Amino acid sequence: MTKPETMWQERTELLLGADSVKRLNESEVLVMGVGGVGAYAAEMLVRAGVGSLTIVDGDRIHESNLNRQLPALLPEVGKLKTEVLGRRLKAVNPDLRLTEIAEYVKDGRMTEILEGKPYRYVVDAIDTLSPKLYLLIHCVRRSIPVVSAMGSGGKVDPMQLKICDISQTYNCPLADVLRKRLHKWGVYTGIQAVFSPEAVPRSAVVETQGEANKKSTVGTVSYMPSIVGCMCASVVIREICGEKVVSDLPVPPAVRKKIALAGKAPRTPGDSFSV
């Protein structure tokens, strides 16, 4: 039976059950990057009842964010994304145990954050390659479950989005680069990915001038980052609740061979799963 102070979770409990709502409330989740993808992921996690959340992003809201990012409103331009989003999340659930880290995180600082709390799951919504790679490597090394958002820029067809192990991704430039670099570190599998094989038109990509963290800008439509963020949140929520999220997409033969040599394999339908 839902208690009076948690009536707002009544419909979640009706669908997922009281035990699942309890698991979500007791879980600590880390969201790295709260832009177009990460902010929606964070809000869906909070609305589902995740009780402890850490959000990390050193960026401020810009007018260019207005077409796609949840915290981006004209009165908020210039403010820290973590501050604006944090206020919104606490307005959903005042009892949320929220940690805001307004930093561009890399190298040793990232490992400090990963080791700072007993994270049940990590959402990787970082949009630059090096810190994204570093985060994924260290999540795998620490056996912290992680779901990673691949690029939503240049994509318009949400029906092509997929959830799978990173070894099963294909026709996605970001995923291709990540896989190759992860392989150099001995990581072949164990990372959930949300990706789309949809081709990005060349006309949608331009070189970026004057930004240290980005070499190019990719055109983005309003709904794609939010859908990717919701899909990332769905992985976290379902797995915390005990569901095994797997894909029956094939693994390329060359990657299968590397995985076999490493003695690892991606999840497939029928694998056992424990919470």
Side-chain angles (χ1 to χ4, degrees):
M1 179 68 69
T2 305
K3 296 179 181 179
E5 64 270 19
T6 57
M7 286 295 291
W8 66 276
Q9 293 179 287
E10 184 176 9
R11 295 196 181 195
T12 307
E13 183 176 319
L14 185 63
L15 176 64
L16 302 180
D19 287 345
S20 291
V21 169
K22 185 173 184 289
R23 287 179 185 173
L24 289 165
N25 181 61
E26 293 174 348
S27 293
E28 181 86 45
V29 178
L30 169 65
V31 179
M32 294 290 294
V34 291
V37 172
Y40 280 95
E43 179 156 327
M44 295 308 107
L45 292 169
V46 172
R47 289 186 184 275
V50 167
S52 298
L53 190 74
T54 298
I55 55 175
V56 183
D57 199 311
D59 202 7
R60 293 179 181 270
I61 296 169
H62 303 280
E63 286 191 14
S64 62
N65 303 148
L66 289 168
N67 79 317
R68 69 198 184 282
Q69 296 193 12
L70 186 63
L73 301 170
L74 279 174
E76 310 293 4
V77 169
K79 297 179 183 177
L80 289 166
K81 290 180 181 178
T82 51
E83 173 192 334
V84 176
L85 181 63
R87 220 169 35 236
R88 180 180 173 95
L89 298 178
K90 292 288 281 187
V92 172
N93 178 13
D95 295 325
L96 175 69
R97 300 176 292 277
L98 179 67
T99 301
E100 301 170 18
I101 301 177
E103 302 174 28
Y104 290 109
V105 176
K106 60 181 182 179
D107 303 335
R109 178 64 177 130
M110 190 172 289
T111 58
E112 285 179 7
I113 292 171
L114 286 174
E115 293 172 352
K117 294 183 180 180
Y119 295 112
R120 178 62 184 83
Y121 229 102
V122 172
V123 176
D124 161 34
I126 299 173
D127 59 3
T128 48
L129 183 60
S130 292
K132 192 177 192 76
L133 176 69
Y134 198 87
L135 173 66
L136 295 176
I137 289 169
H138 284 278
C139 282
V140 172
R141 286 183 172 180
R142 288 163 174 75
S143 298
I144 303 172
V146 57
V147 58
S148 180
M150 300 297 113
S152 61
K155 314 291 176 82
V156 296
D157 183 5
M159 295 297 289
Q160 294 195 48
L161 286 165
K162 307 177 191 301
I163 299 171
C164 65
D165 186 87
I166 197 165
S167 63
Q168 299 167 304
T169 57
Y170 63 95
N171 292 352
C172 172
L174 177 56
D176 292 346
V177 171
L178 275 173
R179 283 199 317 273
K180 290 175 183 176
R181 298 200 180 189
L182 286 166
H183 290 179
K184 292 180 180 179
W185 289 88
V187 177
Y188 301 95
T189 185
I191 297 165
Q192 293 278 39
V194 178
F195 86 104
S196 168
E198 182 181 357
V200 176
R202 291 186 179 181
S203 60
V205 185
V206 295
E207 288 189 8
T208 300
Q209 302 294 329
E211 287 194 44
N213 296 316
K214 291 184 180 180
K215 294 183 179 179
S216 63
T217 297
V218 184
T220 311
V221 71
S222 58
Y223 53 85
M224 286 298 285
S226 60
I227 296 171
V228 172
C230 289
M231 292 176 74
C232 288
S234 83
V235 172
V236 177
I237 293 162
R238 288 185 288 160
E239 295 216 334
I240 287 175
C241 293
E243 180 183 341
K244 177 180 56 179
V245 179
V246 298
S247 168
D248 58 2
L249 289 172
V251 179
V255 179
R256 277 207 310 269
K257 184 176 180 181
K258 291 177 181 178
I259 290 172
L261 290 171
K264 298 178 181 179
R267 289 184 193 170
T268 57
D271 285 350
S272 60
F273 181 79
S274 59
V275 177

